[in-house]
């Protein structure tokens, strides 16, 4: 079966407005749910990170209140321990896009720190959009869309309908007044047509080859939309 590339943040912290380094990483559910959905459909997964660093899970995503109960916490912990690819990522700069049928970016606040300014990830996204390959990006993952500018200086996501972690959700999570910038504002600023759903409820937006999910609860539905595009 075709391979799917997971591009995961390598950040261990998010620098807040006052310079404080808030511990973060990738969000557990946004990796586990799509990984299991894709592999159940027979796809092989490769994980890529900036510089090939082993990614860090955001410990907030492994609390009962954020994971949806202690049972999910235990499930996510076990699944993350079982996913060998997370311990053996390749470097984003070494990715050969032709090797993959689709690309997927999970969130967590990590992408706000590294993928939002990563040139190798930006180049990969420009190539993915030009190729027409299915591209899924969830929650804070759309921060990676910000530097995806082509040789003409145009962001390749300008004019696309998309969603991501909303200002309301950031406020309810307690970070809106601490963040150096808000994802919804920045996505609107690059000309994406932001589609906001109810806070914390599944919301997936599909526009051509681009599939975006608003929050952790949207990650499974986003994965299913990617599988539809893969046929």
């Amino acid at each position: 079966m075709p391979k799917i590339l997971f591009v995961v943040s390598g950040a261990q912290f998010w620098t807040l407005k006052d310079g404080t380094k808030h511990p973060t990483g990738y969000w557990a559910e946004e990796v586990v749910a799509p990984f299991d959905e894709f592999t159940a459909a027979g796809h092989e997964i490769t994980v890529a990170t900036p510089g090939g660093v082993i990614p860090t899970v955001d410990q907030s995503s492994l609390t009962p209140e954020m994971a949806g109960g202690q049972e999910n916490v235990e499930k996510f912990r076990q699944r993350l321990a079982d996913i060998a690819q997370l311990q053996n990522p390749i470097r984003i700069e070494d990715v050969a896009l032709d090797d993959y049928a689709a690309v997927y970016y999970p969130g967590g606040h990590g992408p706000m720190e590294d993928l939002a300014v990563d040139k190798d990830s930006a180049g990969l996204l420009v190539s993915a959009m030009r190729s027409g390959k299915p591209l899924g990006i969830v929650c804070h993952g759309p921060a990676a869309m910000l530097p995806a500018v082509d040789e003409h200086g145009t962001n390749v996501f300008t004019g696309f309908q998309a969603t991501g972690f909303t200002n309301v959700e950031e406020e309810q999570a307690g970070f809106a007044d601490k963040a150096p910038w808000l994802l919804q504002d920045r996505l609107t600023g690059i000309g994406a047509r932001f589609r906001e759903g109810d806070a914390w409820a599944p919301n997936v937006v599909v526009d051509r080859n681009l599939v975006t999910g608003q929050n952790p609860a949207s990650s499974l539905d986003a994965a299913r939309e990617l599988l539809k595009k893969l046929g």
Side-chain angles (χ1 to χ4, degrees):
M1 291 288 285
K3 293 195 290 186
I4 297 176
L5 178 71
F6 274 43
V7 180
V8 181
S9 168
Q12 297 181 6
F13 60 83
W14 175 32
T15 306
L16 302 180
K17 189 188 302 182
D18 65 358
T20 302
K21 296 186 184 302
H22 174 71
T24 187
Y26 64 84
W27 201 258
E29 180 179 0
E30 296 168 24
V31 168
V32 171
F35 185 96
D36 287 349
E37 194 74 6
F38 294 146
T39 53
H43 294 281
E44 181 182 338
I45 307 298
T46 297
V47 171
T49 63
V53 301
I54 296 174
T56 300
V57 63
D58 188 323
Q59 292 299 318
S60 297
S61 67
L62 295 173
T63 58
E65 55 270 29
M66 298 306 293
Q70 185 61 34
E71 184 178 344
N72 281 341
V73 171
E74 294 170 6
K75 171 186 146 185
F76 292 155
R77 284 190 185 279
Q78 185 59 57
R79 290 298 300 120
L80 292 176
D82 290 341
I83 297 174
Q85 293 93 325
L86 289 170
Q87 299 302 315
N88 297 280
I90 66 171
R91 304 189 310 164
I92 296 175
E93 51 266 44
D94 294 336
V95 167
L97 185 60
D98 288 345
D99 293 342
Y100 303 96
V103 180
Y104 171 72
Y105 279 67
H109 278 114
M112 303 280 280
E113 183 73 23
D114 59 358
L115 298 181
V117 294
D118 190 283
K119 293 181 180 179
D120 296 305
S121 169
L124 176 65
L125 287 173
V126 170
S127 297
M129 292 299 286
R130 285 178 169 166
S131 73
K133 292 177 187 285
L135 171 62
I137 315 179
V138 170
C139 198
H140 288 94
M145 296 162 55
L146 301 178
V149 175
D150 65 18
E151 65 274 16
H152 305 296
T154 301
N155 190 289
V156 296
F157 296 101
T158 298
F160 275 77
Q161 296 186 74
T163 192
F165 206 66
T166 65
N167 290 355
V168 169
E169 288 166 323
E170 204 72 85
E171 181 176 355
Q172 292 179 358
F175 287 105
D177 60 342
K178 302 174 184 177
W181 46 270
L182 297 176
L183 181 60
Q184 180 176 348
D185 293 345
R186 291 289 300 276
L187 291 175
T188 301
I190 64 170
R193 296 158 61 197
F194 196 89
R195 297 293 181 256
E196 179 177 357
D198 293 338
W200 310 105
N203 177 37
V204 174
V205 175
V206 181
D207 189 348
R208 289 159 278 184
N209 65 313
L210 178 64
V211 177
T212 50
Q214 180 172 315
N215 46 39
S218 308
S219 56
L220 181 57
D221 288 344
R224 289 172 174 165
E225 289 294 335
L226 279 183
L227 287 176
K228 286 180 187 177
K229 290 188 172 296
L230 289 170

